[in-house]
Amino acid sequence: MGNREDLMAGAKRCLYEKGYGRTTARDIATASGVSLAAIGYHFGSKDALLNAAMIEAIGEMGAALGAVVVAANQVSDDPEERFAAVWDGLRGVFVEHRGLWAAQFEALAQAAHAPELAQAFAGAQKDGRLGLAALFQGLPEVVETEEELARGAFYQTLLAGYAAQWLAAPELAPSGPDFLRGLRLVSGSVLNAGGVLNAG
């Protein structure tokens, strides 16, 4: 690998091991085996490098999410069973990528005071929603429509909430059947209520 690739690999390792806020330029240089000056030369600043590394690492984690969905789609022909299997399978992804999830929440907390970071997250948000919409439908990709963005936003919200609960207390995080039960209860009450209102 070249210096740029080495720096990205080192920055991603630091995100997993030290988090976003505690990673210094020297940490990245040490982890990558590249000089401090190379950070400025290739990325302009440590923050720009960390932001790029965060987005790339999230993309790599997306591949792990995709593998979970593919496995879940082979569990059963029943959509409800597949839905529950996905959320059970995600536990393994959280274990493997715990450091990255923690770094994401840490970075989000700082985004209000870091315009470059906020811009990086905003830029990746739409792509992330479309990616999740495709993943959870077992499709390689979806066309950008309001419906697919809404579907992706729903899954994105569930995923972020699950990650927050798992980071706080893994033993209390919901299981796949818990997710399915909640979906039935909420969709039933909301959609049934809507039907009653529309009928009236």
Side-chain angles (χ1 to χ4, degrees), residues 3-4 7 34-46 49:
N3 283 356
R4 183 181 179 86
L7 285 168
V34 177
S35 70
L36 277 170
I39 295 175
Y41 177 78
H42 288 287
F43 292 93
S45 69
K46 178 210 75 172
L49 169 54

Side-chain angles (χ1 to χ4, degrees), residues 106-134:
E106 183 184 357
L108 284 169
Q110 298 184 31
H113 308 290
E116 287 184 4
L117 180 58
Q119 186 175 5
F121 273 118
Q125 183 140 278
K126 184 169 72 174
D127 289 340
R129 288 179 175 179
L130 292 173
L132 287 171

Side-chain angles (χ1 to χ4, degrees), residues 1 4-5 7-9 12 15-16 43 49-63 100 124:
M1 292 194 297
R4 183 181 179 86
E5 292 76 17
L7 285 168
M8 283 290 285
K12 285 187 284 187
L15 284 171
Y16 274 89
F43 292 93
L49 169 54
L50 271 182
N51 296 345
M54 175 78 76
I55 299 303
E56 186 170 298
I58 291 172
E60 292 169 355
M61 185 171 62
L100 181 59

Side-chain angles (χ1 to χ4, degrees), residues 150-169:
R151 191 194 311 270
F154 175 77
Y155 283 122
Q156 193 175 56
T157 302
L158 286 180
L159 191 60
Y162 188 15
Q165 292 181 64
W166 191 87
L167 286 170

Side-chain angles (χ1 to χ4, degrees), residues 3 17 30 36 77 84 88 109 112 163 185-186:
N3 283 356
E17 295 175 359
T30 299
L36 277 170
D77 291 332
D88 277 337
L185 291 169
V186 173

